[in-house]
């Protein structure tokens, strides 16, 4: 069946329950009368409830209605946020500097409203010390608890141990904040176009070198 409603001459019923252009109830009228009114108003007769008895039809500008519906659907798709699952891999005996770097990535992902799958990779004899991976995952979860929570507790998966962190902030909220921050930066740059240049001009000149 087509998703398009029947309009004008495509409507094949003896009578309809008619709704006017402003949403007012006209009542049950013969189809011929409804089509006549549509012509008078220079509008379309659109079947909006085909399963009703009799079917409900409305007088409207169908072309304009389709355009506005398409624009609303497009805007909804544009604003729709898909939560992405990022992945971060660590070793049980990770170097402190590497840990801070990895944690920084996790923080960034959570701020963006994305989930993060943390994988601890065990090699060789490390497989006999799963508590090392468990403690590392607990430490990471505590370090980022202001931004995310443990959505899936640590569990062993072959040679790996996996934990999933979920963001406290929804993806839509993160996207909105990012757009606001970007707009604020643009507004600031527009309001102070020569800020960086002026700062350079105002810097004291270096004293000439002595001969």
């Amino acid at each position: 069946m087509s998703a398009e409603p029947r309009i004008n001459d495509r409507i094949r019923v003896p009578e309809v329950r008619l709704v006017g252009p402003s949403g007012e109830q006209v009542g049950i009228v013969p189809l011929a009368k409804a089509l006549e009114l549509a012509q008078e108003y220079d509008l379309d007769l659109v079947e909006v409830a085909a399963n009703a008895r009799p079917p409900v039809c409305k007088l409207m500008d169908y072309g304009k209605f389709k355009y506005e519906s398409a624009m609303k659907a497009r805007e909804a798709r544009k604003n729709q946020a898909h939560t992405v699952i990022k992945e971060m891999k660590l070793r049980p005996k990770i170097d402190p500097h590497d840990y801070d770097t990895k944690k920084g990535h996790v923080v960034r992902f959570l701020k963006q409203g994305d989930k993060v799958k943390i994988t601890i990779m065990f090699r060789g004899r490390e497989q006999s010390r799963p508590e090392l991976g468990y403690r590392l995952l607990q430490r990471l979860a505590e370090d980022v608890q202001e931004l995310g929570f443990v959505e899936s507790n640590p569990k062993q998966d072959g040679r790996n141990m996996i934990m999933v962190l979920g963001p406290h902030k929804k993806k839509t909220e993160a996207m909105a904040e990012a757009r606001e921050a970007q707009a604020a930066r643009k507004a600031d740059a527009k309001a102070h176009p020569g800020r960086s240049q002026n700062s350079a001009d105002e810097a004291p000149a270096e004293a000439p070198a002595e001969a």
Side-chain angles (χ1 to χ4, degrees), residues 1-2 6 8 22 27 31 38 65 70 72 82 105-106 113 119 121 123 129 132 145 166 171 189 199:
M1 294 180 61
S2 172
R6 293 187 295 184
N8 300 327
S22 301
L31 177 62
F65 170 76
K72 288 179 181 178
H82 297 283
H105 291 314
V106 173
T119 302
M121 302 180 297
R123 294 179 182 174
R129 300 288 305 280
L132 295 177
Q145 61 182 342
K171 185 73 172 178
S199 299

Side-chain angles (χ1 to χ4, degrees), residues 32-122:
K33 177 63 175 179
L35 290 171
E36 183 181 327
L37 289 172
Q39 288 184 339
E40 288 181 9
Y41 283 106
D42 194 22
L43 295 172
D44 298 298
L45 181 67
V46 182
E47 190 177 57
V48 294
N51 294 328
R53 291 293 179 267
V56 179
C57 293
K58 184 176 181 180
L59 297 175
M60 69 172 75
D61 184 336
Y62 187 59
K64 180 180 178 182
F65 170 76
K66 283 187 65 176
Y67 174 77
E68 292 178 348
S69 297
M71 292 300 294
K72 288 179 181 178
R74 180 180 177 184
E75 191 66 22
R77 287 194 299 269
K78 180 181 177 181
N79 295 328
Q80 189 175 15
H82 297 283
T83 300
V84 178
I85 299 181
K86 304 288 188 177
E87 184 171 11
M88 188 60 57
K89 296 181 178 180
L90 295 79
R91 294 293 307 282
K93 298 179 180 179
I94 188 171
D95 175 84
H97 175 73
D98 289 339
Y99 173 81
D100 289 338
T101 300
K102 300 276 189 178
K103 184 182 71 174
H105 291 314
V106 173
V107 166
R108 177 163 53 88
F109 295 148
L110 292 173
K111 282 184 176 180
Q112 292 172 350
D114 295 321
K115 296 182 181 182
V116 189
K117 175 184 175 182
I118 313 295
T119 302
I120 305 294
M121 302 180 297
F122 296 95

